[in-house]
Amino acid sequence: MNAFGLLLALAVLFASAEAANRYGWPDSYERFLERQGVWDFKKHEVTTSYRGRKNYERDLRDLFDDWKKQTRWGQKDYRSNKYTPPKGGFGRYGFPGK
């Protein structure tokens, strides 16, 4: 019983030690944000230049909802390349124009 408890504790520790963002976003969405120039995939957080924007978290959550709907995230026909990213410039989500 002690060995089982120890293994369970180690499993929980390793599962929580895995790098993840605080929003619970999938890696493919983080990569999408990285291509937009607003996300640091290695640190799993927003870049400092984008963090200075007002309401940036709301914009990213709105974009995540749009991304999930368009790519059908979690469905059998999910494909990450189905999403049409916003155009350059400071549009709805304020991405730096790239």
Side-chain angles (χ1 to χ4, degrees):
M1 191 64 169
N2 267 348
F4 178 72
L6 181 62
L7 287 175
L8 184 61
L10 286 174
V12 169
L13 179 67
F14 286 129
S16 64
E18 184 179 329
N21 63 71
R22 65 187 179 122
Y23 306 101
W25 291 332
D27 285 351
S28 53
Y29 180 63
E30 285 187 0
R31 292 288 185 192
F32 166 74
L33 288 177
E34 188 177 40
R35 286 192 303 271
Q36 301 301 322
V38 300
W39 191 261
D40 186 354
F41 187 79
K42 291 182 181 178
K43 294 181 182 176
H44 297 281
E45 63 182 31
V46 178
T47 59
T48 54
S49 60
Y50 193 72
R51 184 176 286 136
R53 289 188 71 246
K54 199 166 63 169
N55 299 326
Y56 73 91
E57 285 188 326
R58 186 191 66 209
D59 291 343
L60 292 178
R61 284 192 187 100
D62 290 346
L63 178 62
F64 182 52
D65 291 339
D66 292 349
W67 179 85
K68 280 194 303 187
K69 288 175 191 168
Q70 284 191 35
T71 60
R72 295 184 50 79
W73 171 252
Q75 306 297 320
K76 289 182 179 179
D77 61 343
Y78 164 74
R79 275 196 352 252
S80 63
N81 62 352
K82 283 167 64 174
Y83 184 74
T84 307
K87 301 297 180 210
F90 289 91
R92 178 176 175 191
Y93 301 107
F95 291 136
K98 280 196 170 193

